[in-house]
Amino acid sequence: MEGDCLSCMKYLMFLFNFFIFLGGACLLGVGIWVIVDPTGFREIVAANPLLFTGAYIMLAMGAMLFLLGFLGCCGAIRENKCLLLFFFMFILLIFLAELSAAILAFIFRENLTREFFTKELKKHYVRNNDTDVFSSTWNSVMITFACCGVNGPEDFEAVPLLPHLPEEETTPEACCQRKLQSREGMFVNREACLLGIERFQNRQGCYTVILNSFETYVYLAGALAIGVLAIELFAMIFAMCLFRGIQ
């Protein structure tokens, strides 16, 4: 009876580690896609050190889960106590790191409000100055998502003009409509847009556009995160039970 229970535990352990292995492969795939994607994310990630670091953290986490899933599968099938203990300790560290990140994200969620982004935009944005990381990132976001500011073009009325720009050109070039949504895309009518003619501008704010674009994916990401945490928790339980059951 004990042998049957141990055998059942071993295959359950293998199954859970197989899911961890697949999760690691998915994270690796998403991380690589964000970095090499030609439709705009690569440009945004490269311009923002925080996003650039985050993409590589995602790659590292994916690689680690990929490796640990593989080690867990091997440890379960071969009934190797050393591999199982190694697996348990690393899964525990990852579990605690993910839990801490989720708690910090919940605590600092107020920093993701419309008001926060509007305040930061008006404070740090330097219009078409692509040597400034903050401005370059915002320009890339506005071009990629065909939007303007946080709430709309009115956000830039309080942004100081560059010395060489005419006073009537309050709208940044990045808010102008393009035939193709990339930096290389041709303007529909650049001069009319900069002079404030609305039909040549992207009038919708980026906060609403991005929120609508990613709303489904945010819930999906949250569900996946909860699923991954649950799988890791069960994998640790099975690993410890299997470790104690092996003679």
Side-chain angles (χ1 to χ4, degrees), residues 4 27 42 62 75 88 119 126 131 133 165 212 231 236 240:
D4 291 339
L27 275 179
R42 176 177 57 189
F88 176 84
K119 179 183 174 184
V126 197
T131 59
V133 172
L165 290 177
N212 291 341
I231 289 170
M236 285 189 293
M240 196 44 57

Side-chain angles (χ1 to χ4, degrees), residues 1-244:
M1 184 68 180
E2 187 178 339
D4 291 339
C5 184
L6 186 63
S7 179
C8 178
M9 192 70 69
K10 179 173 75 173
Y11 288 111
L12 281 173
M13 172 76 178
F14 177 85
L15 181 64
F16 275 101
N17 277 284
F18 181 70
F19 283 123
I20 290 172
F21 177 83
L22 288 180
C26 288
L27 275 179
L28 271 173
V30 171
I32 292 169
W33 174 73
V34 167
I35 290 171
V36 304
D37 175 51
T39 59
F41 281 99
R42 176 177 57 189
E43 173 172 269
I44 296 169
V45 169
N48 190 323
L50 186 61
L51 291 177
F52 185 78
T53 304
Y56 280 96
I57 289 173
M58 186 184 295
L59 280 175
M61 289 293 291
M64 188 177 293
L65 286 175
F66 186 87
L67 177 62
L68 286 175
F70 177 77
L71 288 175
C73 288
C74 290
I77 292 299
R78 295 173 64 89
E79 298 184 10
N80 187 306
K81 295 185 78 170
C82 182
L83 282 177
L84 287 171
L85 187 60
F86 177 82
F87 165 83
F88 176 84
M89 294 303 295
F90 271 85
I91 283 288
L92 180 61
L93 287 173
I94 293 171
F95 179 84
L96 292 175
E98 290 172 346
L99 199 60
S100 301
I103 292 169
L104 286 173
F106 179 78
I107 291 171
F108 294 106
R109 69 191 185 282
E110 65 273 8
N111 287 346
L112 299 177
T113 61
R114 186 188 294 268
E115 291 73 22
F116 172 80
F117 285 118
T118 304
K119 179 183 174 184
E120 291 297 301
L121 179 70
K122 290 179 178 179
K123 183 178 178 182
H124 300 293
Y125 185 71
V126 197
R127 297 186 177 272
N128 302 324
N129 183 2
D130 282 339
T131 59
D132 177 70
V133 172
F134 183 88
S135 302
S136 178
T137 302
W138 259 106
N139 288 337
S140 295
V141 169
M142 291 190 289
I143 292 168
T144 301
F145 290 96
C147 56
C148 188
V150 178
N151 309 288
E154 63 274 10
D155 289 344
F156 298 102
E157 292 173 4
V159 175
L161 288 168
L162 294 174
H164 63 277
L165 290 177
E167 287 187 11
E168 61 269 19
E169 290 189 9
T170 58
T171 305
E173 191 178 89
C175 288
C176 296
Q177 291 181 9
R178 298 170 186 249
K179 294 178 181 178
L180 178 67
Q181 297 308 319
S182 71
R183 286 184 180 271
E184 294 74 33
M186 292 181 64
F187 293 100
V188 175
N189 190 328
R190 180 180 178 276
E191 290 73 22
C193 165
L194 295 178
L195 290 173
I197 299 176
E198 295 185 3
R199 64 194 179 97
F200 297 113
Q201 296 176 347
N202 295 314
R203 302 292 301 173
Q204 197 167 13
C206 293
Y207 190 89
T208 302
V209 171
I210 294 174
L211 202 63
N212 291 341
S213 299
F214 289 102
E215 188 174 14
T216 304
Y217 300 104
V218 166
Y219 291 121
L220 179 61
L224 283 173
I226 293 170
V228 168
L229 287 172
I231 289 170
E232 288 172 355
L233 183 62
F234 279 111
M236 285 189 293
I237 293 169
F238 287 136
M240 196 44 57
C241 291
L242 190 58
F243 178 85
R244 294 182 64 181

